[in-house]
Amino acid sequence: MKKWMKWVIALAATVVVFIIGNTAVHQWAPSHTVGAPSGRIVVPFWHAINGPNGKTLEAMVARFNKSQKKYWVESVYEGSYSLTQSKYINTLHSNVSPALIQIDQGNGATTLGINNYVPAQEFIDKDGYDLSQIYTNVLNAYTIKGQLLSIPFNSSAAVLYYNQDLFKKYKVPLLPQSPTYSQIANAAKLLTQRSGDNVKGFTMQIYDWLADELVANQGGELVNNGNGRTAVATKANVNTPEMRRVFTWVQGMIKDGSFQNYGTGSGASANQMAGFVSGKLGMFMQSSAAMGTIAKSAKFKFGVTFMPHPDGVPANGVAIGGASFWITKDKPAAVRQGAWEFAKFAISPKEQAAWQAATGYIAVNKNALKEPVLKKAITQNPGLLVPVAQLQAAKNNAATAGPFYANLNQAAQFITVAMQQIYAGGDINKALSTAQQKTDQAIQATNAVDYDLLKFDHIGQ
Amino acid sequence: MVSHNETAVPATATPTPAKRHPWWRSAFWFLLPSLVIMTVFTYYPMVMTVFNSLFATNLTGAAAKFVGFGNYVTIFSDPLFFKSLTNTFIFVACDSVGVILLALLLARLATARIRGAGFFRTAFASTMGVSAAAASILWIFLFNPSVGLISIGLKQLGFGNVNILTDPTGAMIAVILSSIWMGSGFAFLNLLGALQSVPQDYYDVASLAGWSSWRQTWKITIPMVSPTLFFLIVVEVIGAFKTFTQIDLITGGGPDNTTNFIAYKVYQDAFNYRNIGIASAEAIVLTVIIAVATWIQFRYTERKVYYQ
Amino acid sequence: MKYAKRTIHYVLLILIALLVMAPLLLGIWASLLPTTDIVAGHFNSLNISLNNYVAAIQTTPVVLYMWNSLVISSLIMVGQLIFCTLAAYAFAFLQFRFKNGIFFAFLITMMLPFEAQIIPNFQTVRALGWLDSYPGLTIPFFTSAFGVFMLRQAFLQVPRELKEYSDLIGLGRLQFLTRIVLPYTRSTIITFVLYTFLTHWNAYLWPLITTFSDAHRPTQVGLKQLQSEDTFNNWGVIMATAIMVLLPTLLILIIGQRYFRKGLNAGGVKG
């Protein structure tokens, strides 16, 4: 009996220690994902933004949570866009799935196919929200059959960054607002030669999106059926003249020795950024969202231009990158309303102004430009206006609306492999035709089983 | 299900008569907890994986269309899967051989009867206490092109600015090196135990006979520890086939899918591309490989158990 | 001559020990340096401090991750100890119908890689509402064929006389198990418990796919989360978190070394 008591006491003590420890650690830990105040409606929110921009987004969430007493947005970083999207589908209708999720533009088709969303249009109509304050080009990216599916939040486009101090030091002419391939190649060569190979002129990260943007800038569509926007895409356009022009240009610079290959993945983008801010790299292309980081860490004057276009092919403008907020259907109405309230908060002029000023994402709200915080940021860094100008100069067509098909993640992988082969000196035509073939196969395989999900007949009926 | 009578082991040797227990005191209750867990989390999923591998799955992961062995045909006609398999085999071979050789060397050095041997044993075993994830972070740091000591060292040796992880061969070597390091502690501890059980007299006699230490190693050590060696090789091979953490953290399967080994490919196809049918077929291929390796090991351990 | 040989042996030992420990020692050293020195390549800097550890604890959820790992590994350890001991007891001491068949059914699970079961297991845990929770991270691992096998082997070494004696003095089965079998096989039990803790502290794949927030995320995937969240620029802090994560298992290994050396050969281990 006595021994028995001892065990019970030991067990009870363990349980008590566990409960106290568990509560203490969870309360104390510097984590944003735990501990909503009681009485609030919790809105689980998944996003895919890391690094300094992620911190900016967390701050926005904190402001929203402070601004009212009804809802509590719990934001969690879930990894890359594709990982976030995959996790969303993997946890569909489970206890952990989010009420609000940030989905990148390229994953829209799948999210639409999953059909677990409340169209943004519904909330907009109900609230009488004035959509005219949002850029039309941005809305186009998220509109299918005239219906806005999701709420554009972080819009970006690829731009080209270059180190003006290096250009001046080596007496290389500065770049025009919309440079051509040969102007870039020439500048890269001069920088590399005149610096005695201390500086590499140019890089293009092995990142499918950059290739996609360069294709859009030539007016090229990445899949058939109007970039997948008039009907479900059935065929990819990978081995196209547009794509080949891009890589012929890149291979030329690799042969010149004026190109630095940083590889692929998040490590590559960090190394490329490190190379640029330490003055070892003259030019590179990246999302306009990288501007905040560059402005903070570059100790030199940097320039920003539109994405380059081939000589003799006029610039068509690039597709809107970035992502939008989707509100999920399988949560209680109050939670869905909370998700919409936060989304509305996030695209308000004030928040978008702060967002663009800090990150370089293009404010989706036109009125953001009137906010003092953004005005001030633009005076300090006129480069912030370049992506906006590029957006406004872009033609209004399917190429700039961006691709809309379900196999984008897979296709990205195939294009990445093709880029790796091409950068290693492989034959462009061969690499691209393999990627083309694989993407087509993937699309066919997906359509064979998923066509009924993916076709967007339910919209506008 | 399970009979209700129980005897002490074995029945014939027991002086006391076999006690009969009511059903609620049968052996069944001892096995039930484990059986429930295994049924739900091992047998059932295994059956489901086989089942899923026969279906094309839609983007929600649900089985949508019966395709028979179609998924297997697909993966075996996919050069990417072959590349994954080939590179997995290359990795497994290099990794296991490397681990065993390194562990043998370490164990041979650490069996010497000298002062401070205990410290060196702990040092050599230490990698077993480092998880694959933490080890990966340590190695990522070493391989980093701008701050990593390996990269800096290579630069000073005149290799120029190398980014090991973006080069296909380099990435493979990086994964092999770090994996050998991670596996060496475990193999070392096992071999040390085996080596210490070899009587010192053998070496003394051999030394008197003028055998070189190489000859002693080959003629005495290796044969004496061969059961442990064999066990280790199988364990290493099985472990290497399942390599995942290093890949996820260090290379992400790249570049150009060079390090996209089969266990990682299963994960990617299932959880990133939501291609459950294909991923299940790949998982079954992995299972067959592992099962064969384990079967070899079972046959061996069974024998060893009898000898004990 | 003998002296020279011994010296060479020592030099060799020290060199190789340094080489083997290099990644770890470098990591520890880097965790003490300011990131600015690391980035500048000043590894010979003497600006050492615990600042990175303070920063890691204050700005990252690493302590929460470690707590989660402690809870998860301990629960699994206790669960396996109970479940595996019970099953091993049955296989070692009881006679029942289909004993060999059931034992074989247990053993065969060792041939089936967990990697091949993750997809249905994920779906099961999702259906149970256990995603991103302690139950989902622990209950699937409450038994292991290896554990049952290892403990059964040890239990078989218990002399028959002890069983007879315990029957004689009228001990029940559970009493026989807790008072005689477990103390007798203490060394194996300790090996098993330490090994289970180590394995699950180091678990990666399952937590990677089933955790979605910091609330229940354990250390190993926590490292990945920190790596991807912070875009990996702050080397000092990253190394400090890695060292914090590996320290508990390193200590277990150092303390439990002798158990591992003896105990692991017993069956096909290694996750």
Coordinates of all heavy atoms in Angstrom, one line a residue, chain B residues 1-2 5-7 25 27 34 41 43 45 49 106 109 115 122 125-126 129 131 133 141 144 149 181 189-190 196 231 235-236 248-249 287 291 297 305, chain C residues 9-10 13 16 20 26 83 86 94-96 98 105 111 116 120-121 143 153 173 202 204 220 224 227 235 249-250 253 257 261 265 267-270:
Chain B
M1 N -8.6 -16.6 -30.4 CA -7.4 -15.7 -30.5 C -6.2 -16.4 -29.9 O -5.5 -17.2 -30.4 CB -7.7 -14.3 -29.9 CG -6.6 -13.3 -29.9 SD -6.6 -12.4 -31.4 CE -4.9 -12.3 -31.8
V2 N -6.0 -16.1 -28.6 CA -4.8 -16.6 -27.9 C -5.3 -17.5 -26.8 O -6.3 -17.2 -26.2 CB -4.0 -15.4 -27.3 CG1 -2.8 -16.0 -26.5 CG2 -3.6 -14.5 -28.4
N5 N -4.3 -20.9 -21.4 CA -3.5 -21.5 -20.4 C -2.0 -21.1 -20.6 O -1.6 -20.7 -21.6 CB -3.6 -23.0 -20.5 CG -3.1 -23.5 -21.8 OD1 -2.9 -22.8 -22.8 ND2 -2.7 -24.8 -21.9
E6 N -1.4 -21.1 -19.5 CA 0.0 -20.6 -19.5 C 0.9 -21.6 -18.7 O 0.4 -22.1 -17.7 CB 0.0 -19.3 -18.8 CG 1.4 -18.7 -18.5 CD 1.4 -17.7 -17.4 OE1 0.3 -17.4 -16.9 OE2 2.5 -17.3 -17.0
T7 N 2.0 -21.8 -19.1 CA 3.0 -22.6 -18.3 C 4.3 -21.8 -18.2 O 4.6 -21.0 -19.0 CB 3.3 -23.9 -19.0 OG1 3.7 -23.6 -20.3 CG2 2.0 -24.8 -19.0
R25 N -7.1 -13.0 -18.2 CA -5.7 -12.9 -17.7 C -4.7 -13.6 -18.7 O -3.6 -13.9 -18.3 CB -5.6 -13.7 -16.4 CG -6.4 -13.0 -15.2 CD -6.0 -13.5 -13.9 NE -4.5 -13.3 -13.7 CZ -3.9 -13.9 -12.6 NH1 -4.6 -14.6 -11.8 NH2 -2.6 -13.7 -12.5
A27 N -2.3 -14.1 -22.1 CA -1.2 -13.4 -22.7 C -1.6 -12.3 -23.7 O -0.9 -11.3 -23.9 CB -0.3 -14.4 -23.5
S34 N 0.7 -3.3 -27.9 CA 1.6 -3.2 -29.0 C 0.9 -3.6 -30.3 O 1.1 -3.0 -31.4 CB 2.8 -4.2 -28.8 OG 3.7 -3.6 -27.8
F41 N -0.6 1.7 -37.0 CA 0.4 2.6 -37.6 C 1.5 1.8 -38.3 O 2.5 2.4 -38.8 CB 1.1 3.4 -36.4 CG 0.1 4.4 -35.8 CD1 -0.4 4.2 -34.6 CD2 -0.3 5.5 -36.5 CE1 -1.3 5.1 -34.0 CE2 -1.2 6.4 -36.0 CZ -1.7 6.2 -34.7
Y43 N 0.8 -2.0 -39.9 CA 0.2 -2.9 -40.9 C -0.8 -2.2 -41.8 O -0.7 -2.3 -43.0 CB -0.5 -4.1 -40.2 CG 0.3 -4.8 -39.2 CD1 0.0 -5.1 -37.9 CD2 1.6 -5.4 -39.7 CE1 0.8 -5.8 -37.1 CE2 2.4 -6.1 -38.8 CZ 2.0 -6.3 -37.5 OH 2.8 -7.0 -36.7
P45 N -1.1 1.1 -42.6 CA -0.5 2.0 -43.6 C 0.3 1.2 -44.7 O 0.3 1.7 -45.8 CB 0.5 2.9 -42.8 CG 0.6 2.2 -41.5 CD -0.6 1.4 -41.2
T49 N -0.5 1.7 -48.5 CA 0.6 2.2 -49.4 C 0.5 1.3 -50.7 O 0.6 1.8 -51.8 CB 2.0 2.2 -48.8 OG1 1.9 3.0 -47.6 CG2 3.0 2.7 -49.7
L106 N 39.2 4.1 -36.4 CA 39.1 4.7 -35.1 C 39.1 3.6 -34.0 O 39.8 3.8 -32.9 CB 37.7 5.4 -35.0 CG 37.6 6.6 -35.9 CD1 36.2 7.3 -35.7 CD2 38.7 7.7 -35.7
L109 N 42.6 2.3 -33.4 CA 43.4 3.2 -32.6 C 43.0 3.3 -31.1 O 43.8 3.4 -30.3 CB 43.3 4.6 -33.2 CG 44.0 4.9 -34.5 CD1 43.6 6.2 -35.1 CD2 45.5 4.9 -34.2
R115 N 47.1 5.5 -21.6 CA 46.5 6.5 -20.8 C 45.6 7.3 -21.6 O 45.9 7.7 -22.8 CB 47.5 7.4 -20.2 CG 48.0 7.0 -18.8 CD 49.2 7.8 -18.5 NE 49.7 7.6 -17.2 CZ 49.3 8.2 -16.1 NH1 48.4 9.1 -16.2 NH2 49.7 7.9 -14.9
T122 N 35.5 8.5 -26.1 CA 34.4 9.4 -26.1 C 34.4 10.4 -27.3 O 33.4 10.6 -27.9 CB 34.4 10.3 -24.8 OG1 34.5 9.3 -23.7 CG2 33.1 11.1 -24.6
A125 N 33.3 8.5 -30.3 CA 31.8 8.1 -30.3 C 30.9 9.4 -30.4 O 29.7 9.2 -30.6 CB 31.5 7.4 -29.0
S126 N 31.5 10.5 -30.2 CA 30.7 11.7 -30.0 C 29.7 12.0 -31.1 O 28.6 12.5 -30.9 CB 31.6 13.0 -29.8 OG 32.3 13.2 -31.0
G129 N 26.1 11.2 -30.8 CA 25.2 12.1 -29.9 C 24.8 13.3 -30.7 O 24.1 14.1 -30.1
S131 N 22.6 14.8 -33.6 CA 21.5 14.4 -34.5 C 21.8 14.8 -35.9 O 22.6 15.7 -36.2 CB 20.2 15.1 -34.1 OG 20.3 16.5 -34.2
A133 N 20.1 16.4 -37.9 CA 19.7 17.8 -38.3 C 20.8 18.8 -37.8 O 21.2 19.6 -38.5 CB 18.3 18.1 -37.6
F141 N 27.5 24.9 -42.6 CA 28.4 26.0 -42.2 C 29.8 25.7 -42.8 O 30.4 26.6 -43.4 CB 28.5 26.0 -40.6 CG 29.4 27.1 -40.1 CD1 29.1 28.4 -40.4 CD2 30.5 26.8 -39.3 CE1 29.9 29.4 -39.9 CE2 31.2 27.8 -38.8 CZ 31.0 29.1 -39.1
N144 N 29.6 26.4 -46.6 CA 29.2 27.7 -47.1 C 30.3 28.3 -48.0 O 31.4 28.4 -47.6 CB 28.8 28.6 -45.9 CG 28.2 29.9 -46.4 OD1 29.0 30.8 -46.8 ND2 26.9 30.0 -46.4
L149 N 34.8 26.8 -43.8 CA 36.3 26.5 -43.8 C 36.7 25.6 -44.9 O 37.8 25.7 -45.4 CB 36.7 25.9 -42.4 CG 36.8 27.0 -41.3 CD1 37.5 26.3 -40.1 CD2 37.6 28.2 -41.8
W181 N 30.5 11.0 -41.5 CA 30.8 11.6 -40.2 C 29.7 11.3 -39.2 O 29.9 10.8 -38.1 CB 30.9 13.1 -40.3 CG 31.4 13.8 -39.1 CD1 32.6 13.8 -38.6 CD2 30.5 14.5 -38.2 NE1 32.6 14.6 -37.4 CE2 31.4 15.0 -37.1 CE3 29.2 14.8 -38.1 CZ2 30.9 15.7 -36.1 CZ3 28.7 15.6 -37.0 CH2 29.6 16.0 -36.0
L189 N 31.4 2.6 -31.9 CA 31.0 2.0 -30.6 C 30.8 0.5 -30.7 O 31.3 -0.2 -29.9 CB 29.7 2.7 -30.1 CG 29.9 3.9 -29.1 CD1 28.6 4.3 -28.6 CD2 30.9 3.5 -28.0
N190 N 30.1 0.1 -31.8 CA 29.9 -1.3 -32.0 C 31.2 -2.1 -32.2 O 31.4 -3.1 -31.6 CB 29.0 -1.5 -33.2 CG 27.5 -1.4 -32.8 OD1 27.0 -2.3 -32.2 ND2 27.0 -0.2 -33.0
Q196 N 37.3 -5.2 -28.4 CA 37.8 -5.4 -27.0 C 37.6 -6.9 -26.6 O 38.2 -7.3 -25.6 CB 37.0 -4.5 -26.1 CG 37.6 -3.1 -26.2 CD 36.9 -2.1 -25.4 OE1 35.7 -2.2 -25.1 NE2 37.6 -1.0 -24.9
F231 N 27.0 -7.3 -39.4 CA 25.8 -6.6 -38.8 C 25.9 -5.1 -39.1 O 24.9 -4.6 -39.6 CB 25.9 -6.8 -37.3 CG 25.1 -5.8 -36.5 CD1 23.7 -5.9 -36.4 CD2 25.7 -4.8 -35.8 CE1 23.0 -5.0 -35.7 CE2 25.0 -3.9 -35.1 CZ 23.6 -4.0 -35.0
V235 N 23.3 -2.8 -41.3 CA 22.6 -1.7 -40.6 C 22.9 -0.4 -41.3 O 22.0 0.5 -41.6 CB 23.0 -1.6 -39.1 CG1 22.6 -0.3 -38.5 CG2 22.4 -2.7 -38.4
E236 N 24.2 -0.2 -41.7 CA 24.5 1.0 -42.4 C 23.8 1.1 -43.8 O 23.4 2.2 -44.2 CB 26.1 1.1 -42.7 CG 26.9 1.4 -41.4 CD 26.5 2.7 -40.8 OE1 26.1 3.6 -41.4 OE2 26.6 2.7 -39.5
D248 N 17.3 16.9 -46.9 CA 16.4 18.0 -46.8 C 17.1 19.3 -46.3 O 16.7 20.4 -46.8 CB 15.3 17.6 -45.7 CG 14.1 18.6 -45.7 OD1 13.7 19.0 -46.8 OD2 13.6 18.9 -44.7
L249 N 18.0 19.2 -45.5 CA 18.7 20.4 -44.9 C 19.8 20.9 -45.8 O 20.0 22.1 -46.0 CB 19.1 20.2 -43.5 CG 18.0 20.2 -42.5 CD1 18.5 19.7 -41.1 CD2 17.6 21.7 -42.3
T287 N 10.6 -0.2 -49.9 CA 10.3 -1.3 -48.9 C 11.0 -2.6 -49.4 O 11.6 -3.3 -48.5 CB 8.8 -1.5 -48.8 OG1 8.2 -0.2 -48.6 CG2 8.5 -2.5 -47.7
A291 N 13.6 -4.5 -47.2 CA 13.2 -5.8 -46.7 C 14.2 -6.9 -47.0 O 14.6 -7.7 -46.2 CB 11.8 -6.2 -47.3
Q297 N 19.9 -9.6 -42.7 CA 20.4 -9.3 -41.4 C 19.7 -10.3 -40.4 O 20.4 -10.8 -39.5 CB 20.0 -7.9 -41.0 CG 20.6 -7.5 -39.6 CD 20.0 -6.2 -39.2 OE1 19.2 -5.6 -39.9 NE2 20.2 -5.9 -37.9
V305 N 22.3 -15.2 -32.3 CA 21.5 -15.4 -31.1 C 21.7 -16.8 -30.6 O 21.9 -17.0 -29.4 CB 20.0 -15.0 -31.3 CG1 19.2 -15.5 -30.1 CG2 19.9 -13.6 -31.6
Chain C
H9 N 51.7 6.9 -31.8 CA 50.3 6.5 -31.6 C 49.5 7.7 -31.0 O 48.4 8.0 -31.5 CB 50.2 5.3 -30.7 CG 48.9 4.6 -30.7 ND1 48.7 3.5 -31.4 CD2 47.8 4.9 -30.1 CE1 47.5 3.1 -31.2 NE2 46.8 4.0 -30.4
Y10 N 50.1 8.4 -30.0 CA 49.4 9.5 -29.4 C 49.2 10.6 -30.4 O 48.1 11.2 -30.5 CB 50.2 10.0 -28.3 CG 49.8 9.5 -26.9 CD1 50.6 8.7 -26.2 CD2 48.5 9.7 -26.5 CE1 50.2 8.2 -24.9 CE2 48.1 9.2 -25.3 CZ 48.9 8.4 -24.5 OH 48.5 7.9 -23.3
L13 N 46.4 9.6 -32.7 CA 45.1 9.7 -32.0 C 44.6 11.1 -31.9 O 43.5 11.4 -32.2 CB 45.3 9.1 -30.5 CG 44.9 7.7 -30.3 CD1 45.2 7.3 -28.9 CD2 43.5 7.4 -30.6
I16 N 43.6 12.5 -35.3 CA 42.4 12.0 -35.8 C 41.2 12.4 -35.0 O 40.1 12.8 -35.5 CB 42.5 10.5 -35.9 CG1 43.4 10.2 -37.1 CG2 41.1 9.8 -36.2 CD1 43.6 8.7 -37.4
V20 N 38.0 14.3 -36.4 CA 36.6 13.8 -36.2 C 35.8 14.9 -35.5 O 34.6 15.1 -35.8 CB 36.6 12.5 -35.4 CG1 35.2 12.1 -35.0 CG2 37.2 11.4 -36.3
L26 N 34.3 23.3 -34.3 CA 34.1 24.6 -35.0 C 32.8 25.2 -34.8 O 32.6 26.4 -34.6 CB 34.3 24.3 -36.5 CG 35.6 24.6 -37.1 CD1 35.7 24.0 -38.5 CD2 35.8 26.2 -37.1
F83 N 4.8 -0.7 -23.2 CA 4.3 -1.6 -24.2 C 5.2 -2.7 -24.6 O 4.9 -3.8 -24.8 CB 3.9 -0.7 -25.5 CG 2.6 0.1 -25.3 CD1 2.2 0.5 -24.0 CD2 1.8 0.4 -26.4 CE1 1.1 1.2 -23.9 CE2 0.7 1.2 -26.2 CZ 0.3 1.6 -25.0
L86 N 5.7 -5.3 -21.8 CA 4.6 -6.3 -21.8 C 4.7 -7.3 -22.9 O 4.6 -8.5 -22.6 CB 3.3 -5.5 -21.9 CG 2.9 -4.7 -20.6 CD1 1.6 -3.9 -20.9 CD2 2.7 -5.6 -19.4
L94 N 5.5 -16.5 -21.4 CA 4.1 -17.2 -21.5 C 4.0 -18.1 -22.7 O 4.8 -17.9 -23.7 CB 3.1 -16.1 -21.6 CG 3.1 -15.0 -20.6 CD1 1.9 -14.0 -20.8 CD2 3.1 -15.5 -19.2
Q95 N 3.2 -19.1 -22.6 CA 2.9 -20.0 -23.7 C 1.5 -19.7 -24.1 O 0.6 -19.6 -23.3 CB 3.0 -21.4 -23.2 CG 4.4 -21.9 -22.8 CD 5.4 -21.7 -23.9 OE1 5.1 -21.9 -25.1 NE2 6.6 -21.3 -23.6
F96 N 1.4 -19.5 -25.4 CA 0.0 -19.3 -26.0 C 0.0 -19.7 -27.4 O 1.0 -19.9 -28.0 CB -0.4 -17.8 -25.8 CG 0.6 -16.8 -26.3 CD1 0.6 -16.3 -27.6 CD2 1.6 -16.3 -25.4 CE1 1.5 -15.4 -28.0 CE2 2.5 -15.4 -25.8 CZ 2.5 -14.9 -27.2
F98 N -0.4 -19.6 -31.4 CA 0.1 -18.7 -32.4 C 1.3 -17.9 -31.9 O 1.5 -16.8 -32.5 CB -1.0 -17.8 -32.9 CG -2.2 -18.5 -33.3 CD1 -3.5 -18.2 -32.8 CD2 -2.2 -19.6 -34.3 CE1 -4.6 -18.8 -33.2 CE2 -3.3 -20.2 -34.6 CZ -4.6 -19.9 -34.1
A105 N 5.0 -11.8 -36.8 CA 4.3 -10.6 -37.3 C 4.9 -9.4 -36.7 O 5.0 -8.3 -37.3 CB 2.9 -10.7 -36.9
M111 N 11.2 -5.0 -41.1 CA 11.6 -4.9 -42.5 C 10.9 -3.8 -43.2 O 11.2 -3.6 -44.4 CB 11.3 -6.3 -43.1 CG 11.9 -7.5 -42.5 SD 11.3 -9.0 -43.2 CE 12.4 -9.2 -44.6
A116 N 7.8 4.3 -45.9 CA 6.8 3.8 -46.8 C 5.4 3.9 -46.1 O 4.4 3.6 -46.8 CB 7.1 2.4 -47.2
P120 N -0.1 7.1 -45.5 CA -1.4 6.7 -44.8 C -1.3 7.1 -43.3 O -2.4 7.5 -42.8 CB -1.4 5.1 -44.9 CG -0.5 4.8 -46.0 CD 0.5 5.9 -46.1
N121 N -0.2 7.1 -42.7 CA -0.1 7.5 -41.3 C -0.5 8.9 -41.1 O -1.2 9.3 -40.2 CB 1.3 7.3 -40.7 CG 1.5 5.9 -40.2 OD1 0.5 5.2 -40.0 ND2 2.7 5.4 -40.0
T143 N 5.2 1.7 -29.6 CA 5.8 0.3 -29.5 C 6.8 0.2 -30.6 O 6.8 1.1 -31.5 CB 4.8 -0.8 -29.7 OG1 5.4 -2.0 -29.3 CG2 4.3 -0.9 -31.1
Q153 N 15.0 -10.9 -25.9 CA 16.3 -11.5 -25.8 C 16.9 -11.5 -24.4 O 17.4 -12.4 -23.9 CB 17.3 -10.9 -26.8 CG 17.0 -11.0 -28.3 CD 16.8 -12.5 -28.7 OE1 15.7 -12.9 -28.9 NE2 17.9 -13.2 -28.7
R173 N 2.0 -12.2 -12.0 CA 2.9 -12.0 -13.2 C 3.5 -10.6 -13.2 O 4.6 -10.4 -13.6 CB 2.1 -12.3 -14.4 CG 1.8 -13.7 -14.6 CD 1.4 -14.1 -16.0 NE 0.1 -13.4 -16.3 CZ -0.8 -14.0 -17.1 NH1 -0.5 -15.2 -17.6 NH2 -1.9 -13.4 -17.4
N202 N 16.0 12.9 -31.8 CA 16.6 13.2 -33.1 C 15.6 13.0 -34.3 O 16.0 13.2 -35.4 CB 17.8 12.3 -33.3 CG 18.9 12.7 -32.4 OD1 18.9 13.7 -31.7 ND2 19.9 11.8 -32.2
Y204 N 13.1 13.3 -37.2 CA 13.0 14.5 -38.2 C 11.8 14.4 -39.1 O 11.0 15.3 -39.2 CB 14.3 14.5 -39.0 CG 14.4 15.7 -39.9 CD1 14.8 17.0 -39.4 CD2 14.1 15.7 -41.2 CE1 14.9 18.1 -40.2 CE2 14.1 16.8 -42.0 CZ 14.6 18.0 -41.5 OH 14.7 19.1 -42.3
Q220 N 14.5 19.2 -33.9 CA 15.2 19.0 -35.1 C 14.5 19.7 -36.3 O 15.2 20.3 -37.1 CB 15.3 17.5 -35.5 CG 15.8 16.6 -34.3 CD 17.1 17.0 -33.8 OE1 18.0 17.5 -34.6 NE2 17.4 16.9 -32.5
K224 N 15.3 23.4 -38.7 CA 14.9 23.7 -40.1 C 14.1 25.0 -40.2 O 14.3 25.8 -41.1 CB 14.2 22.5 -40.8 CG 13.5 23.0 -42.1 CD 13.3 21.9 -43.0 CE 12.6 22.4 -44.2 NZ 12.9 21.8 -45.4
Q227 N 16.2 27.9 -39.8 CA 17.1 28.1 -41.0 C 16.3 28.8 -42.1 O 16.8 29.7 -42.7 CB 17.6 26.7 -41.5 CG 18.4 26.8 -42.7 CD 18.4 25.6 -43.5 OE1 17.6 24.7 -43.3 NE2 19.3 25.5 -44.5
W235 N 24.8 33.6 -38.5 CA 25.5 32.3 -38.3 C 25.7 32.1 -36.8 O 25.6 31.0 -36.3 CB 26.9 32.3 -39.0 CG 26.7 32.0 -40.4 CD1 26.9 32.9 -41.5 CD2 26.4 30.8 -41.0 NE1 26.7 32.2 -42.6 CE2 26.3 30.9 -42.4 CE3 26.1 29.5 -40.5 CZ2 26.0 29.9 -43.3 CZ3 25.7 28.5 -41.4 CH2 25.7 28.7 -42.7
T249 N 21.7 15.3 -26.2 CA 22.0 13.9 -26.7 C 23.4 13.6 -26.6 O 23.8 12.5 -26.3 CB 21.5 13.8 -28.2 OG1 21.9 14.9 -28.9 CG2 20.0 13.5 -28.3
L250 N 24.3 14.6 -26.8 CA 25.7 14.4 -26.6 C 26.0 14.0 -25.2 O 26.8 13.0 -24.9 CB 26.5 15.7 -26.9 CG 27.9 15.6 -27.2 CD1 28.2 14.6 -28.3 CD2 28.6 16.9 -27.5
L253 N 24.9 10.5 -24.6 CA 25.9 9.5 -25.2 C 27.1 9.4 -24.4 O 27.6 8.2 -24.1 CB 26.3 10.0 -26.6 CG 27.2 9.1 -27.2 CD1 26.5 8.1 -28.1 CD2 28.4 9.7 -27.9
Q257 N 27.6 5.8 -22.8 CA 28.5 5.1 -23.8 C 28.6 3.6 -23.6 O 28.5 2.8 -24.5 CB 29.8 5.7 -23.6 CG 30.5 6.2 -24.8 CD 31.9 6.5 -24.6 OE1 32.7 5.7 -24.9 NE2 32.2 7.6 -23.9
R261 N 27.7 0.4 -26.1 CA 28.7 -0.4 -26.6 C 28.3 -1.9 -26.4 O 28.4 -2.7 -27.3 CB 30.0 -0.2 -25.9 CG 31.2 -0.5 -26.7 CD 32.5 -0.3 -25.9 NE 32.5 1.0 -25.3 CZ 33.3 1.2 -24.2 NH1 34.1 0.3 -23.8 NH2 33.3 2.4 -23.7
N265 N 24.4 -4.4 -30.1 CA 24.6 -5.5 -31.1 C 23.4 -6.4 -31.0 O 23.3 -7.2 -31.9 CB 25.9 -6.3 -30.7 CG 27.1 -5.4 -31.0 OD1 27.0 -4.2 -30.8 ND2 28.2 -6.1 -31.3
G267 N 20.4 -6.4 -31.6 CA 19.4 -6.5 -32.7 C 19.7 -5.5 -33.7 O 20.6 -4.7 -33.6
G268 N 18.9 -5.5 -34.8 CA 19.2 -4.5 -35.8 C 18.7 -3.2 -35.5 O 17.6 -2.8 -35.7
V269 N 19.6 -2.3 -35.0 CA 19.2 -1.0 -34.6 C 19.5 0.0 -35.7 O 20.0 -0.4 -36.7 CB 19.9 -0.5 -33.3 CG1 18.9 -0.1 -32.3 CG2 20.9 -1.5 -32.8
K270 N 19.3 1.2 -35.4 CA 19.6 2.4 -36.2 C 18.4 2.7 -37.0 O 17.9 2.0 -37.9 CB 20.8 2.2 -37.1 CG 21.3 3.5 -37.5 CD 22.6 3.4 -38.2 CE 23.0 4.8 -38.5 NZ 24.0 4.9 -39.5

